[in-house]
């Protein structure tokens, strides 16, 4: 291997490290135990689904498919909060075009963390009416 190859490889390794540490920063911020479900919801969901989950967020108004009212999930599901379904919508297992592609939901890697997803799911449970 000549020197220029070596440099190329070195810079690849360095950029990979930067990426890894960059992502780590977001990870830590998004998953600290002090972050509440309410804060996560308001940062990542309310722009479309609205502050109280009724589907009346500012960004949502501009979407071709209006964001659904999240307060009626229990009602639609015969009185049982569809916990697994909600977490699958968040982690990208279930496709929602506006949430971004399955492999990379708009909120990125941080919502691949079960604890964070669980907090948001519990917050959405609390928004249910009736
Ligand atoms: C960019 C706007 C946008 C953001 C941000 C967003 N959503 Fe959505 N969401 C939508 C749209 C639009 C749909 C409906 C898509 C469809 O019906 O195909 C949807 C669908 C859903 C559904 C399915 C509801 C049903 O009745 O089937 C759930 C649950 C959901 N979102 C939860 C969340 C949560 C939790 C967050 C935050 C982590 C979030 N969404 C962030 C736009 C958004």
């Amino acid at each position: 291997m000549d020197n220029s190859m070596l440099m190329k490889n070195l810079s690849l390794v360095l950029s990979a490290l930067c990426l890894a540490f960059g992502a780590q920063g977001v990870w830590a911020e998004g998953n600290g135990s002090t972050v509440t479900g309410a804060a996560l919801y308001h940062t990542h969901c309310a722009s479309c689904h609205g502050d109280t989950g009724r589907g009346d967020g500012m960004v949502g108004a501009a979407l071709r498919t209006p964001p659904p009212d999240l307060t009626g999930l229990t009602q639609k599901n015969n009185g049982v909060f569809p916990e697994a379904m909600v977490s699958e919508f968040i982690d990208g297992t279930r496709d929602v075009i506006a949430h971004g592609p399955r492999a990379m939901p708009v909120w990125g890697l941080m919502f691949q963390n079960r604890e964070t997803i669980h907090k948001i799911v519990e917050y959405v449970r609390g928004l249910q009416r009736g």
Side-chain angles (χ1 to χ4, degrees):
M1 197 193 296
D2 65 20
N3 260 349
S4 74
M5 268 289 269
L6 191 68
M7 285 310 288
K8 225 185 228 161
N9 284 339
L10 195 65
S11 68
L12 269 180
V13 169
L14 282 178
S15 27
L17 279 176
C18 288
L19 274 178
F21 283 108
Q24 192 101 35
V26 175
W27 186 271
E29 189 188 322
N31 294 294
S33 53
T34 52
V35 180
T36 63
L40 289 164
Y41 178 87
H42 285 109
T43 308
H44 301 284
C45 319
S47 55
C48 290
H49 290 284
D51 279 341
T52 58
R54 293 194 162 276
D56 55 357
M58 297 282 287
V59 175
L63 293 178
R64 196 170 298 169
T65 310
D69 177 349
L70 296 182
T71 68
L73 294 175
T74 294
Q75 205 173 56
K76 271 200 299 192
N77 195 45
N78 300 321
V80 183
F81 180 67
E83 183 175 332
M85 180 201 94
V86 174
S87 76
E88 286 169 9
F89 274 117
I90 301 173
D91 71 15
T93 309
R94 290 196 191 213
D95 277 329
V96 171
I97 291 169
H99 286 187
R102 178 187 290 262
M104 196 185 77
V106 285
W107 28 79
L109 280 176
M110 79 182 247
F111 284 2
Q112 300 298 312
N113 175 288
R114 299 320 308 179
E115 192 196 332
T116 306
I117 294 173
H118 184 70
K119 282 183 187 173
I120 301 172
V121 171
E122 286 310 305
Y123 185 75
V124 173
R125 184 201 296 278
L127 294 175
Q128 302 309 299
R129 59 178 128 84

